[in-house]
Amino acid sequence: MAPPIVIAAGGTAGHVVPALAVADALRAEGARVVFVGGERAERTMVPEAGYELRPIAVEGLSRSNPLKAARAGLKAAAAVGAARRILRDVRPDAVLGAGGYVAGPVGVAAVARRVALVLAEADSHLGLTNRLLARWARRVCLAFPIEGRDGERYLVTGRPVPPPTTDRAGARARFGLAPDETCVLVFGGSLGARTINEAAVQALAGADFRVLHACGHRDYEALRARLGSDPPTNYDLREYITPFGEALLASDLCVARAGGSIFEIAAHGRPAILVPYPYASADHQSSNARWMADNGAAVVIRDAELTPARLAHTVGELLADPSTLAAMASASAALARPQAASDVAHELLAAAR
């Protein structure tokens, strides 16, 4: 009989996408996967991927507003009870805490019911939920080596990502790119990145190369208005691109934040200009970006230093130096961990046994 596995993940696509990659690997092994989540990205992404989603009411813990923090605490306490009822019904052999505030109540419920718990950390530091639950986990799967987290409980698997797209010609055809055209891909995560969005439109519209820009819903209308009623022919502005791997494979250079998407960039062997989000918890995006840069796969520009002129200069300098761009692409590919999703899935199945 296929072992039932519960995956708790929610919030942004940065938590949901890796969880879905692990779910796909589990399904390929014959496991039954049930998600527990809230009302954000997981609400649509999980059912669209063909998985059952059991909802619980929970929200993030505010670190600046005591009233909101108290409300979140009360919701979390109630969510533990809801999670225990879900686990009692599903009777999973193992639970994966895949990040986000949803993982906390479900992880606590798993510990209380003595269900094997595995955690996955997608960033270069342990988030609050994972720090609190790590002592009870059978395994903590890390995207990066983390100082002090090197005992047998911890395993560096890399960040799970969907299988990389491999048909570059087909990917470029999807976006109308000729074989000899250069393409720069600009993106900022599921919500977009305003600093990058505004700098890119000013710096790259009208350039002598193609630009594919996934800007997110929030800024789309304003950016479209800025491009005008007769936008430059080189600039392809879109809210979202799905499947995103085709955009990565079609491009020659990426301009992006430095969250978990760096592993998707690496999986497709793309060189990158990274602009870390300066307010990420524990400044983990700066650590992510340094990891890419120190290994020769990226150039880093601080958010406060990103201007249209700086972006145009950096993009132009890299595109004018094919040998450097090729070396960065090779370095990026060398950082990829294509087996991460399977490795996390195997840890779950081992815990379930």
Side-chain angles (χ1 to χ4, degrees):
M1 180 181 294
I5 305 290
V6 162
I7 297 179
T12 67
H15 289 126
V16 180
V17 169
L20 287 172
V22 174
D24 289 345
L26 287 167
R27 187 159 57 183
E29 296 285 342
R32 174 196 172 208
V33 179
V34 175
F35 276 78
V36 179
E39 293 293 321
R40 295 184 62 190
E42 63 272 25
R43 183 179 181 181
T44 55
M45 294 179 69
V46 169
E48 286 174 358
Y51 294 100
E52 179 185 357
L53 176 67
R54 301 283 187 99
I56 59 174
V58 64
E59 63 183 59
L61 185 65
S62 174
R63 301 184 184 185
S64 58
N65 187 315
L67 290 177
K68 288 185 177 179
R71 183 182 67 189
L74 291 172
K75 279 194 171 182
V80 172
R84 291 189 68 165
R85 289 190 291 274
I86 292 170
L87 297 187
R88 186 167 61 243
D89 180 50
V90 177
R91 301 177 64 83
D93 290 337
V95 168
L96 173 65
Y101 43 79
V102 173
V106 181
V108 170
V111 172
R113 290 187 58 81
R114 300 176 182 264
V115 178
L117 176 65
V118 174
L119 302 175
E121 179 56 68
D123 296 322
S124 51
H125 77 292
L126 277 189
L128 176 61
T129 296
N130 282 346
R131 288 201 305 273
L132 294 174
L133 291 173
R135 71 181 67 182
W136 291 288
R138 300 287 182 90
R139 187 77 77 189
V140 182
C141 299
L142 304 175
F144 303 90
I146 299 176
E147 186 176 353
R149 308 288 180 176
D150 49 10
E152 64 179 20
R153 182 174 312 215
Y154 297 91
L155 177 67
V156 179
T157 58
R159 181 182 188 270
V161 296
T165 305
T166 57
D167 182 6
R168 180 168 162 86
R172 288 176 66 85
R174 173 188 169 186
F175 300 109
L177 296 166
D180 59 345
E181 279 189 298
T182 298
C183 177
V184 175
L185 173 64
V186 180
F187 65 99
S190 59
L191 298 178
R194 183 156 291 163
T195 308
I196 294 176
N197 284 344
E198 294 182 353
V201 166
Q202 294 181 59
L204 307 179
D208 59 358
F209 49 82
R210 292 284 295 279
V211 179
L212 181 58
H213 185 169
C215 66
H217 173 73
R218 179 186 58 195
D219 295 341
Y220 177 72
E221 293 298 336
L223 295 176
R224 190 175 68 169
R226 184 170 296 182
L227 289 171
S229 58
D230 186 21
T233 57
N234 80 306
Y235 213 95
D236 186 350
L237 180 71
R238 306 185 183 204
E239 289 187 51
Y240 303 104
I241 299 172
T242 304
F244 193 67
E246 292 185 350
L248 286 165
L249 190 63
S251 70
D252 299 288
L253 174 66
C254 298
V255 179
R257 287 296 194 201
S261 61
I262 62 171
F263 281 95
E264 291 187 75
I265 292 172
H268 290 86
R270 299 299 92 188
I273 298 170
L274 299 177
V275 185
Y277 179 58
Y279 305 110
S281 60
D283 197 23
H284 70 265
Q285 288 206 10
S286 292
S287 299
N288 295 355
R290 283 196 301 272
W291 178 70
M292 291 281 282
D294 289 348
N295 284 282
V299 172
V300 181
I301 302 176
R302 292 179 60 236
D303 188 83
E305 298 172 357
L306 182 69
T307 64
R310 175 78 179 273
L311 181 60
H313 174 77
T314 306
V315 169
E317 192 174 48
L318 288 174
L319 294 183
D321 187 353
S323 61
T324 294
L325 208 62
M328 290 174 66
S330 295
S332 180
L335 294 174
R337 302 291 293 259
Q339 297 301 313
S342 293
D343 289 345
V344 175
H346 288 156
E347 291 300 321
L348 273 163
L349 293 173
R353 288 192 291 270

